[in-house]
Structure formats: C-alpha cells, structure tokens
Amino acid sequence: MFKQASIIHRSRRQRILIAAVCIALASQVSFQVYTPGFIIALSALLLPIFLYFNADLNPLLLSSMIAIASPIFRGILLFIGHASQTETILHFVVTDMAFYLCYGGLYYLLYWRRTQRNNSSFFLTIVLCDYLSNLLEVSLLTDFHNYSYHLFQLLFVAALVRSLFSCLLAFAYHYFTLLMRKESHEQRYYHFIWVASSVKSDVYFMQKSLGEIKRVMKNAYLLNQKLEDLDVPQEYRDMALAVARDVHEIKKDYRNVTLELGEYFGSNQDAPMQLSDILKVTTTYIQAAIKHHHPNVVIEVHNQVDLLIPKHYYVVTILSNLIFNSVDALPKDKLNGCIQVTVTSAGADILLTVSDNGQGMDDRTQSMIFQPGFSTKFNATTGNIYRGIGLSHVKIIAQEQFDGDITVDSQLGRGTDFQVRLNKAHLLQEE
C-alpha cells in the first residue's frame, strides 16, 4: 500500500516537472506588445492543456512550479543575452511569476474546487484566467498606470484566441482517445460474444453426448450381468464391470464440466440481440481473424430482416461455421475473393444465405458434407484430417433449435451457396 502511494507521488512529481520544463521552453516563443517586458507567449497556450489532462493535480502546486521554472529560464536567457539591466530583468521575472501564480489561483478557485465540471465551464474559466493574469502582469509592469480601452481589448483578444486553440486541441485529443477506447471495448465485446457462443454451442453438444456415455455405461454393466450367467473366466466379468465403473466416473466429470460451463454462460446472463448486431459482431470478428492469411477476402452483408433474438449465440455459431467454411473454399492467392451474407424474409421463416466465389464442390461432396466426420480438408504438413463437424453441427442446431434446415448448392469452379431456413417463432423464443 505504501509502495503504491510512493509510486503515485513519484508520477505526480514527474508530471509537474514535465509541465514546468515544457512551458518554460514554450515561453521562449513569444512577441512583445504594449509595454517592455510584456509578452504574448506560447506557454499560456500549453498551460490549459496540462491542466485539462492532469485534473488530479492541485493547480496551485502546478502553477507554483511553472512560476519558478519558466520565469527563471526567461531571466537567465535575458541575462546571458544582455537584453536589459539586472534590475529590469528581475522586474520582468517577478511579473512573469505573478502571471502564473495568478493563473493557478484563479483556476483553483473558479474551476478545480467545483464538484461538477464540463468543457464549457473549463473554456470560460481558461479565458478568464488568461485575461486577468495578463492584466495583472501589465499592471505590475506599468505600475498600475496607462490603462486604455485598447489595452483591455488586446488582452481579451489574446486570452480568447489562446484559450480557444488550447481547448480545441485538448477537447479534440480527448474525444479521439474516447473513440479509440470505444473501438477497443467494442472489439472486446465482439470477442466475448464469440467465445460465449462457441462455449454455449459446445455445451449443447456435450449435453447430447451425455446420453451416449450413459448408454455405453449401461451396456458395459449389462454385459457384466450376462457374463455371470455364462461359463467365462472371472477376469472377463471383472473387466466388464471395470469398464462400467470407469465410464460412470467419466460421465460424472463430463456432467460437472457441462453444468459449470452452462451455469457460467447461462442464458440468464444474456440480453437478446438484434439480428443486425449479430451479423455485425460475427462478420467484423471473422474479417479481423482472416485478414493476415486471407487479406483479399471481402465479406458483404445484405440484411432485410429486423428481429430481436434471445438465443443469439446459436445464430453466431451457424454464421461463423458457414463463413469460415466459405473462407476455406477461397484460394489464398485469389484477388477478388468475396463472401456474401444475405438475410431475407420468407413467410414464417427467414432465409440466411452464405455465398462465396470459391472452388465449389462436386455432387458427391455435396451429398456427404453434412455427415459428422466428413471433410475434404487436411493438413498437408501433418497429414491430419479436419473432422468437419462444423457443418453437421449447423444442421443439428438449425433443426433442433429453430425448426429449420440447411441446403447447399455448389458448382465446381464457380462457388457455393449455403441456405439456412430458420423459423421466426423459434428465433423469437427464449431458451
């Protein structure tokens, strides 16, 4: 705890030092007006920006450090350059310090102490601080004499112009960072939807597999019972019983994992999503995922349906499997690779079509493509076959969750169209 506090203090000291040095250097970009020693400098343009982006720093401390660094730096340069006598230089330094101290004090009283802050009040405060601080500096340089309308007009215009440029720079950079942060959060949201959809779909099929595990366990136990009625060695009966016992343990672990994943990614944690948002999440994430290996592939979306879908993760699974399948069908060196996702209304159903201009498939492949385990793809390096369970899962989800189906139409050398029919009533239905 104490170590963290010391780090924070060190960070604040560093920021104050950086501000003092930068403003001291910026003060050298200036021109003299009205009276000797009074300058319109770039430093007063940078000061509001430091105040805006360091709202946690006490402006009295910040302006005090600047009031030490900037005028002394100016005084040293005047002394080295023999621009004025020592007494005059000290006078210039004191008035310069008065400008920054007045600026920080006014900012502290008018803005920093307020609990509610906004950009409008910040701008007005900066204009007032600049104007009054300049007025004080001129007054000290002229011994509070020679006031004129032209002076007040000059000081106000200088304060307005510098404050306007400062605030425009600060506000523009602030909103730019907000947009970047929003984009980053949006990408994280897309990633979460993607992961949640994958897990929910896996849990769905894991639950279906539990029935098969139970069947194997039951058959092993029944085999043990039948072997007792036969004249077989005891070791065979024990082996059958051990298989039943082991499968039972596997079933328990499998069920526990399924239950935990199902509870963590439970449907009560999900709000329904618009179909347009589902399409955006899926296509944006896939486009980002394939940009390195398939930089020439373009994914186009044409949506004519507006639905609020509770079980959006299943729709994401369907879309992602079909789009990735189309991506795999496009040669990496293809310059005009295009995948079109089209959603239209067809009475009580919607038709979701994913088309590509890839290699296409022959009739035999089309007849087998939805069979579990079938795949036309393999890794040429390892020889491992991609099992191709994605499309079979798509078919099962479309049929069991949305009372639909999927068909394929493909021509060799021209491309493939996958069309998924989904019932609207089932799409609008809760889990």
Side-chain angles (χ1 to χ4, degrees), residues 189 193 267-275 277-278 307-313 427-431:
Y189 172 71
I193 293 296
S267 58
N268 60 340
Q269 297 180 9
D270 289 304
M273 287 183 65
Q274 291 286 348
L275 180 57
D277 291 333
I278 295 173
L307 290 177
L308 192 64
I309 301 176
K311 295 184 287 187
H312 54 80
Y313 36 88
L427 279 169
L428 299 174
Q429 198 173 48
E430 297 283 349
E431 181 72 46

Side-chain angles (χ1 to χ4, degrees), residues 203-423:
V203 168
Y204 175 68
F205 287 101
M206 288 170 68
Q207 290 173 339
K208 292 174 67 67
S209 299
L210 275 173
E212 294 298 315
I213 295 176
K214 291 178 182 178
R215 183 180 61 81
V216 173
M217 180 188 67
K218 180 180 178 181
N219 289 340
Y221 181 75
L222 292 176
L223 177 62
N224 171 262
Q225 296 294 101
K226 290 182 178 181
L227 288 177
E228 289 184 355
D229 300 332
L230 300 175
D231 186 18
V232 296
Q234 181 65 35
E235 60 178 314
Y236 294 127
R237 297 198 297 269
D238 293 341
M239 188 180 299
L241 186 61
V243 170
R245 188 183 301 111
D246 291 342
V247 172
H248 176 68
E249 294 300 319
I250 293 173
K251 185 200 72 171
K252 287 197 303 182
D253 294 339
Y254 198 84
R255 183 180 59 188
N256 290 337
V257 171
T258 304
L259 288 175
E260 289 180 6
L261 288 175
E263 289 178 359
Y264 185 78
F265 291 91
S267 58
N268 60 340
Q269 297 180 9
D270 289 304
M273 287 183 65
Q274 291 286 348
L275 180 57
S276 58
D277 291 333
I278 295 173
L279 292 167
K280 181 181 178 182
V281 167
T282 308
T283 55
T284 302
Y285 190 86
I286 294 177
Q287 192 77 70
I290 67 174
K291 65 180 180 181
H292 295 297
H293 298 290
H294 298 272
N296 299 319
V297 175
V298 176
I299 302 176
E300 299 179 355
V301 178
H302 306 279
N303 179 28
Q304 303 175 9
V305 180
D306 186 19
L307 290 177
L308 192 64
I309 301 176
K311 295 184 287 187
H312 54 80
Y313 36 88
Y314 288 140
V315 180
V316 172
T317 298
I318 291 173
L319 277 169
S320 60
N321 273 277
L322 293 179
I323 295 175
F324 272 125
N325 189 79
S326 293
V327 170
D328 292 335
L330 293 167
K332 293 184 179 181
D333 57 350
K334 190 177 182 65
L335 298 179
N336 61 338
C338 181
I339 299 172
Q340 288 189 346
V341 181
T342 306
V343 185
T344 57
S345 180
D349 302 322
I350 69 166
L351 298 180
L352 194 158
T353 305
V354 178
S355 306
D356 65 69
N357 59 348
Q359 299 172 343
M361 296 178 287
D362 56 30
D363 293 337
R364 179 177 176 276
T365 302
Q366 292 182 58
S367 65
M368 302 175 63
I369 195 169
F370 296 113
Q371 296 180 12
F374 176 78
S375 177
T376 59
K377 296 167 286 186
F378 67 97
N379 190 315
T381 303
T382 64
N384 293 330
I385 297 177
Y386 297 117
R387 294 301 176 184
I389 62 173
L391 291 176
S392 65
H393 279 191
V394 168
K395 189 177 184 69
I396 292 173
I397 291 175
Q399 292 175 340
E400 296 185 359
Q401 291 296 322
F402 301 114
D403 190 28
D405 206 350
I406 181 172
T407 57
V408 60
D409 181 23
S410 183
Q411 296 183 22
L412 282 173
R414 299 189 61 181
T416 302
D417 295 339
F418 285 100
Q419 187 175 85
V420 184
R421 178 182 57 82
L422 304 175
N423 184 269

